PDB file of all heavy atoms in Angstrom:
ATOM      1  N   ARG A 289     -20.386  12.397  14.804  1.00 86.00           N
ATOM      2  CA  ARG A 289     -21.346  13.010  15.699  1.00 86.00           C
ATOM      3  C   ARG A 289     -21.833  14.397  15.317  1.00 86.00           C
ATOM      4  O   ARG A 289     -22.837  14.835  15.712  1.00 86.00           O
ATOM      5  CB  ARG A 289     -20.797  13.108  17.147  1.00 86.00           C
ATOM      6  CG  ARG A 289     -20.857  11.875  17.969  1.00 86.00           C
ATOM      7  CD  ARG A 289     -22.243  11.492  18.369  1.00 86.00           C
ATOM      8  NE  ARG A 289     -22.369  10.142  18.824  1.00 86.00           N
ATOM      9  CZ  ARG A 289     -22.636   9.075  18.028  1.00 86.00           C
ATOM     10  NH1 ARG A 289     -22.955   9.355  16.782  1.00 86.00           N
ATOM     11  NH2 ARG A 289     -22.770   7.944  18.547  1.00 86.00           N
ATOM     12  N   LEU A 290     -20.989  15.129  14.667  1.00 86.00           N
ATOM     13  CA  LEU A 290     -21.347  16.518  14.318  1.00 86.00           C
ATOM     14  C   LEU A 290     -22.002  16.603  12.899  1.00 86.00           C
ATOM     15  O   LEU A 290     -21.703  15.821  12.071  1.00 86.00           O
ATOM     16  CB  LEU A 290     -20.113  17.418  14.442  1.00 86.00           C
ATOM     17  CG  LEU A 290     -19.466  17.416  15.858  1.00 86.00           C
ATOM     18  CD1 LEU A 290     -18.237  18.322  15.829  1.00 86.00           C
ATOM     19  CD2 LEU A 290     -20.420  17.848  16.877  1.00 86.00           C
ATOM     20  N   GLU A 291     -22.862  17.656  12.768  1.00 86.00           N
ATOM     21  CA  GLU A 291     -23.484  17.868  11.479  1.00 86.00           C
ATOM     22  C   GLU A 291     -22.804  19.123  10.887  1.00 86.00           C
ATOM     23  O   GLU A 291     -22.710  20.178  11.542  1.00 86.00           O
ATOM     24  CB  GLU A 291     -24.954  18.131  11.620  1.00 86.00           C
ATOM     25  CG  GLU A 291     -25.713  16.917  12.130  1.00 86.00           C
ATOM     26  CD  GLU A 291     -25.691  15.698  11.113  1.00 86.00           C
ATOM     27  OE1 GLU A 291     -25.535  16.039   9.938  1.00 86.00           O
ATOM     28  OE2 GLU A 291     -25.749  14.627  11.535  1.00 86.00           O
ATOM     29  N   PHE A 292     -22.393  19.012   9.715  1.00 87.00           N
ATOM     30  CA  PHE A 292     -21.938  20.194   9.022  1.00 87.00           C
ATOM     31  C   PHE A 292     -22.013  20.038   7.521  1.00 87.00           C
ATOM     32  O   PHE A 292     -22.097  18.931   7.019  1.00 87.00           O
ATOM     33  CB  PHE A 292     -20.466  20.464   9.335  1.00 87.00           C
ATOM     34  CG  PHE A 292     -19.435  19.373   9.058  1.00 87.00           C
ATOM     35  CD1 PHE A 292     -18.742  19.349   7.923  1.00 87.00           C
ATOM     36  CD2 PHE A 292     -19.340  18.248  10.042  1.00 87.00           C
ATOM     37  CE1 PHE A 292     -17.865  18.353   7.616  1.00 87.00           C
ATOM     38  CE2 PHE A 292     -18.397  17.336   9.659  1.00 87.00           C
ATOM     39  CZ  PHE A 292     -17.654  17.364   8.547  1.00 87.00           C
ATOM     40  N   TYR A 359     -24.882  11.192  23.661  1.00 84.00           N
ATOM     41  CA  TYR A 359     -24.244  12.514  23.407  1.00 84.00           C
ATOM     42  C   TYR A 359     -25.174  13.622  23.703  1.00 84.00           C
ATOM     43  O   TYR A 359     -24.779  14.555  24.347  1.00 84.00           O
ATOM     44  CB  TYR A 359     -23.836  12.546  21.897  1.00 84.00           C
ATOM     45  CG  TYR A 359     -23.174  13.855  21.477  1.00 84.00           C
ATOM     46  CD1 TYR A 359     -22.088  14.289  22.109  1.00 84.00           C
ATOM     47  CD2 TYR A 359     -23.707  14.604  20.405  1.00 84.00           C
ATOM     48  CE1 TYR A 359     -21.454  15.507  21.762  1.00 84.00           C
ATOM     49  CE2 TYR A 359     -23.084  15.823  20.016  1.00 84.00           C
ATOM     50  CZ  TYR A 359     -22.006  16.277  20.764  1.00 84.00           C
ATOM     51  OH  TYR A 359     -21.418  17.407  20.353  1.00 84.00           O
ATOM     52  N   LYS A 363     -25.000  16.562  26.391  1.00 83.00           N
ATOM     53  CA  LYS A 363     -25.016  18.034  26.045  1.00 83.00           C
ATOM     54  C   LYS A 363     -26.002  18.749  26.944  1.00 83.00           C
ATOM     55  O   LYS A 363     -25.806  19.869  27.411  1.00 83.00           O
ATOM     56  CB  LYS A 363     -25.592  18.100  24.599  1.00 83.00           C
ATOM     57  CG  LYS A 363     -24.562  17.875  23.513  1.00 83.00           C
ATOM     58  CD  LYS A 363     -23.699  19.055  23.220  1.00 83.00           C
ATOM     59  CE  LYS A 363     -22.325  18.863  23.833  1.00 83.00           C
ATOM     60  NZ  LYS A 363     -21.395  19.853  23.548  1.00 83.00           N
ATOM     61  N   ASP A 369     -17.610  18.649  24.788  1.00 83.00           N
ATOM     62  CA  ASP A 369     -17.268  17.679  23.847  1.00 83.00           C
ATOM     63  C   ASP A 369     -16.069  16.828  24.192  1.00 83.00           C
ATOM     64  O   ASP A 369     -16.073  15.575  24.178  1.00 83.00           O
ATOM     65  CB  ASP A 369     -16.947  18.307  22.465  1.00 83.00           C
ATOM     66  CG  ASP A 369     -18.264  18.517  21.659  1.00 83.00           C
ATOM     67  OD1 ASP A 369     -19.302  18.199  22.194  1.00 83.00           O
ATOM     68  OD2 ASP A 369     -18.138  19.094  20.651  1.00 83.00           O
TER      69      ASP A 369
ATOM     70  N   MET B1056     -30.635  21.140  14.420  1.00 46.00           N
ATOM     71  CA  MET B1056     -29.303  20.607  14.890  1.00 46.00           C
ATOM     72  C   MET B1056     -28.173  21.477  14.247  1.00 46.00           C
ATOM     73  O   MET B1056     -27.213  21.767  14.863  1.00 46.00           O
ATOM     74  CB  MET B1056     -29.117  19.213  14.601  1.00 46.00           C
ATOM     75  CG  MET B1056     -29.551  18.111  15.646  1.00 46.00           C
ATOM     76  SD  MET B1056     -28.785  18.582  17.240  1.00 46.00           S
ATOM     77  CE  MET B1056     -27.167  17.986  17.137  1.00 46.00           C
ATOM     78  N   VAL B1057     -28.390  21.658  12.852  1.00 47.00           N
ATOM     79  CA  VAL B1057     -27.220  22.225  12.236  1.00 47.00           C
ATOM     80  C   VAL B1057     -27.195  23.813  12.459  1.00 47.00           C
ATOM     81  O   VAL B1057     -27.932  24.573  11.782  1.00 47.00           O
ATOM     82  CB  VAL B1057     -27.324  22.034  10.679  1.00 47.00           C
ATOM     83  CG1 VAL B1057     -26.118  22.615   9.940  1.00 47.00           C
ATOM     84  CG2 VAL B1057     -27.399  20.564  10.471  1.00 47.00           C
ATOM     85  N   ASP B1058     -26.438  24.235  13.501  1.00 57.00           N
ATOM     86  CA  ASP B1058     -26.352  25.712  13.630  1.00 57.00           C
ATOM     87  C   ASP B1058     -24.887  26.041  13.369  1.00 57.00           C
ATOM     88  O   ASP B1058     -23.974  25.147  13.215  1.00 57.00           O
ATOM     89  CB  ASP B1058     -26.728  26.077  15.048  1.00 57.00           C
ATOM     90  CG  ASP B1058     -26.112  25.250  16.079  1.00 57.00           C
ATOM     91  OD1 ASP B1058     -24.885  25.096  16.052  1.00 57.00           O
ATOM     92  OD2 ASP B1058     -26.761  24.698  17.032  1.00 57.00           O
ATOM     93  N   SER B1059     -24.649  27.370  13.333  1.00 64.00           N
ATOM     94  CA  SER B1059     -23.273  27.782  12.927  1.00 64.00           C
ATOM     95  C   SER B1059     -22.268  27.330  13.939  1.00 64.00           C
ATOM     96  O   SER B1059     -21.124  27.139  13.507  1.00 64.00           O
ATOM     97  CB  SER B1059     -23.336  29.283  12.701  1.00 64.00           C
ATOM     98  OG  SER B1059     -23.736  29.896  13.874  1.00 64.00           O
ATOM     99  N   LYS B1060     -22.691  27.246  15.215  1.00 67.00           N
ATOM    100  CA  LYS B1060     -21.675  26.960  16.216  1.00 67.00           C
ATOM    101  C   LYS B1060     -21.105  25.503  15.977  1.00 67.00           C
ATOM    102  O   LYS B1060     -20.000  25.227  16.034  1.00 67.00           O
ATOM    103  CB  LYS B1060     -22.369  27.067  17.583  1.00 67.00           C
ATOM    104  CG  LYS B1060     -21.357  27.127  18.713  1.00 67.00           C
ATOM    105  CD  LYS B1060     -22.075  27.031  20.088  1.00 67.00           C
ATOM    106  CE  LYS B1060     -21.053  26.540  21.074  1.00 67.00           C
ATOM    107  NZ  LYS B1060     -21.645  25.643  22.071  1.00 67.00           N
ATOM    108  N   HIS B1061     -22.122  24.572  15.612  1.00 70.00           N
ATOM    109  CA  HIS B1061     -21.738  23.295  15.343  1.00 70.00           C
ATOM    110  C   HIS B1061     -20.733  23.120  14.164  1.00 70.00           C
ATOM    111  O   HIS B1061     -19.811  22.438  14.148  1.00 70.00           O
ATOM    112  CB  HIS B1061     -22.934  22.450  15.032  1.00 70.00           C
ATOM    113  CG  HIS B1061     -23.421  21.624  16.199  1.00 70.00           C
ATOM    114  ND1 HIS B1061     -24.458  21.964  17.077  1.00 70.00           N
ATOM    115  CD2 HIS B1061     -22.897  20.471  16.695  1.00 70.00           C
ATOM    116  CE1 HIS B1061     -24.534  21.098  18.002  1.00 70.00           C
ATOM    117  NE2 HIS B1061     -23.604  20.176  17.832  1.00 70.00           N
ATOM    118  N   GLN B1062     -21.120  23.890  13.085  1.00 83.00           N
ATOM    119  CA  GLN B1062     -20.301  23.859  11.882  1.00 83.00           C
ATOM    120  C   GLN B1062     -18.915  24.272  12.273  1.00 83.00           C
ATOM    121  O   GLN B1062     -17.963  23.584  11.918  1.00 83.00           O
ATOM    122  CB  GLN B1062     -20.872  24.949  10.972  1.00 83.00           C
ATOM    123  CG  GLN B1062     -22.268  24.753  10.474  1.00 83.00           C
ATOM    124  CD  GLN B1062     -22.268  24.129   9.023  1.00 83.00           C
ATOM    125  OE1 GLN B1062     -21.250  24.176   8.454  1.00 83.00           O
ATOM    126  NE2 GLN B1062     -23.408  23.686   8.695  1.00 83.00           N
ATOM    127  N   TRP B1063     -18.728  25.350  12.963  1.00 86.00           N
ATOM    128  CA  TRP B1063     -17.471  25.969  13.367  1.00 86.00           C
ATOM    129  C   TRP B1063     -16.701  24.911  14.060  1.00 86.00           C
ATOM    130  O   TRP B1063     -15.479  24.708  13.850  1.00 86.00           O
ATOM    131  CB  TRP B1063     -17.781  27.182  14.188  1.00 86.00           C
ATOM    132  CG  TRP B1063     -16.578  27.832  14.663  1.00 86.00           C
ATOM    133  CD1 TRP B1063     -15.839  28.741  14.056  1.00 86.00           C
ATOM    134  CD2 TRP B1063     -16.050  27.714  15.976  1.00 86.00           C
ATOM    135  NE1 TRP B1063     -14.736  29.209  14.835  1.00 86.00           N
ATOM    136  CE2 TRP B1063     -14.809  28.512  16.023  1.00 86.00           C
ATOM    137  CE3 TRP B1063     -16.365  26.966  17.132  1.00 86.00           C
ATOM    138  CZ2 TRP B1063     -14.076  28.666  17.104  1.00 86.00           C
ATOM    139  CZ3 TRP B1063     -15.553  27.118  18.156  1.00 86.00           C
ATOM    140  CH2 TRP B1063     -14.386  27.936  18.303  1.00 86.00           C
ATOM    141  N   LYS B1064     -17.382  24.177  14.982  1.00 86.00           N
ATOM    142  CA  LYS B1064     -16.678  23.252  15.836  1.00 86.00           C
ATOM    143  C   LYS B1064     -16.225  22.038  15.031  1.00 86.00           C
ATOM    144  O   LYS B1064     -15.090  21.565  15.194  1.00 86.00           O
ATOM    145  CB  LYS B1064     -17.681  22.755  16.924  1.00 86.00           C
ATOM    146  CG  LYS B1064     -17.031  22.843  18.272  1.00 86.00           C
ATOM    147  CD  LYS B1064     -18.081  22.628  19.418  1.00 86.00           C
ATOM    148  CE  LYS B1064     -19.120  21.627  19.272  1.00 86.00           C
ATOM    149  NZ  LYS B1064     -20.050  21.573  20.409  1.00 86.00           N
ATOM    150  N   ALA B1065     -16.955  21.566  14.148  1.00 89.00           N
ATOM    151  CA  ALA B1065     -16.737  20.403  13.287  1.00 89.00           C
ATOM    152  C   ALA B1065     -15.399  20.721  12.488  1.00 89.00           C
ATOM    153  O   ALA B1065     -14.486  19.953  12.462  1.00 89.00           O
ATOM    154  CB  ALA B1065     -17.849  20.037  12.366  1.00 89.00           C
ATOM    155  N   TRP B1066     -15.405  21.910  11.876  1.00 90.00           N
ATOM    156  CA  TRP B1066     -14.181  22.271  11.085  1.00 90.00           C
ATOM    157  C   TRP B1066     -12.991  22.447  11.969  1.00 90.00           C
ATOM    158  O   TRP B1066     -11.918  22.097  11.545  1.00 90.00           O
ATOM    159  CB  TRP B1066     -14.490  23.490  10.292  1.00 90.00           C
ATOM    160  CG  TRP B1066     -15.525  23.265   9.169  1.00 90.00           C
ATOM    161  CD1 TRP B1066     -16.759  23.609   9.135  1.00 90.00           C
ATOM    162  CD2 TRP B1066     -15.273  22.491   8.060  1.00 90.00           C
ATOM    163  NE1 TRP B1066     -17.354  23.166   8.067  1.00 90.00           N
ATOM    164  CE2 TRP B1066     -16.474  22.438   7.314  1.00 90.00           C
ATOM    165  CE3 TRP B1066     -14.222  21.753   7.529  1.00 90.00           C
ATOM    166  CZ2 TRP B1066     -16.623  21.774   6.111  1.00 90.00           C
ATOM    167  CZ3 TRP B1066     -14.353  21.031   6.291  1.00 90.00           C
ATOM    168  CH2 TRP B1066     -15.544  21.111   5.656  1.00 90.00           C
ATOM    169  N   LEU B1067     -13.215  22.925  13.215  1.00 91.00           N
ATOM    170  CA  LEU B1067     -12.051  23.033  14.163  1.00 91.00           C
ATOM    171  C   LEU B1067     -11.553  21.658  14.406  1.00 91.00           C
ATOM    172  O   LEU B1067     -10.262  21.407  14.334  1.00 91.00           O
ATOM    173  CB  LEU B1067     -12.453  23.693  15.404  1.00 91.00           C
ATOM    174  CG  LEU B1067     -11.454  23.755  16.483  1.00 91.00           C
ATOM    175  CD1 LEU B1067     -10.406  24.864  16.075  1.00 91.00           C
ATOM    176  CD2 LEU B1067     -12.013  24.111  17.890  1.00 91.00           C
TER     177      LEU B1067
END
Side-chain angles (χ1 to χ4, degrees):
Chain A
R289 279 290 166 267
L290 301 177
E291 293 298 331
F292 58 96
Y359 179 56
K363 284 277 104 175
D369 275 359
Chain B
M1056 265 314 279
V1057 185
D1058 52 50
S1059 56
K1060 197 187 155 221
H1061 259 99
Q1062 299 258 349
W1063 178 83
K1064 232 167 39 186
W1066 290 108
L1067 177 73

